[in-house]
Amino acid sequence: MDKNNIKQQQTFISEEEKTLNWDEIQNSFKKSFGAEIFNSWLQKISLIKEYNDYLILGVPTRFFRDWIVSRYLDKILEQVKSFKLSLNRIEFKIIEENKQNQEF
C-alpha cells in the first residue's frame, strides 16, 4: 500500500500544437547566418503571434522589413520550420518603438 505513487501523465503534443521558443530560434539564426548578420538584422526581430501555419514577427521599420524579406526570408522560414513543421508563412508587422499612440 504505497500511497506515494504518483501517476505520471504522458502528454502528447502534436507538432502543430507545439509553441515556439523564440530564444531557441534566435540562437539557430545566429549559428546559421553568422554573428554579423544576426546582430545587424535578425536580433531585432520579435515574435508577436504564433498560429498553426504562420507567424507574425515584429520589426522596427519598413526598410528593415523590406531588407529582411528580400534577402533572408526563405532561410528564416526554413529555420523556423525545423522547429515547427506546420509553418508555411511569415508575416511582418512594423513596430515603431519611439512612436507612442499619436492618433487624435
Side-chain angles (χ1 to χ4, degrees):
M1 287 193 246
D2 188 8
K3 295 180 180 179
N4 294 329
N5 280 348
I6 299 172
K7 286 186 179 180
Q8 291 183 342
Q9 284 187 320
Q10 290 185 333
T11 306
F12 176 76
I13 298 175
S14 73
E15 195 67 33
E16 285 72 27
E17 295 173 1
K18 190 165 75 172
T19 56
L20 295 172
N21 179 336
W22 191 247
D23 290 334
E24 199 175 302
I25 292 172
Q26 289 283 58
N27 286 334
S28 79
F29 287 167
K30 192 171 190 175
K31 290 177 191 170
S32 178
F33 289 93
E36 188 175 327
I37 292 173
F38 176 78
N39 292 333
S40 297
W41 298 102
L42 305 178
Q43 186 176 30
K44 297 174 183 141
I45 299 174
S46 61
L47 176 63
I48 294 177
K49 186 81 174 158
E50 174 185 349
Y51 296 96
N52 276 341
D53 62 344
Y54 73 99
L55 297 178
I56 299 177
L57 302 178
V59 292
T61 65
R62 181 176 291 145
F63 172 79
F64 196 92
R65 178 201 61 199
D66 294 346
W67 185 271
I68 289 172
V69 168
S70 68
R71 286 168 176 77
Y72 307 118
L73 181 59
D74 291 341
K75 197 165 182 182
I76 289 172
L77 183 57
E78 180 183 309
Q79 288 281 317
V80 173
K81 284 183 84 155
S82 70
F83 290 89
K84 187 173 179 180
L85 293 173
S86 63
L87 293 171
N88 58 30
R89 182 177 62 159
I90 294 176
E91 294 180 10
F92 290 94
K93 180 177 181 180
I94 297 163
I95 302 171
E96 298 182 37
E97 296 172 7
N98 297 332
K99 290 186 180 179
Q100 301 215 341
N101 192 0
Q102 295 181 350
E103 294 179 20
F104 297 95

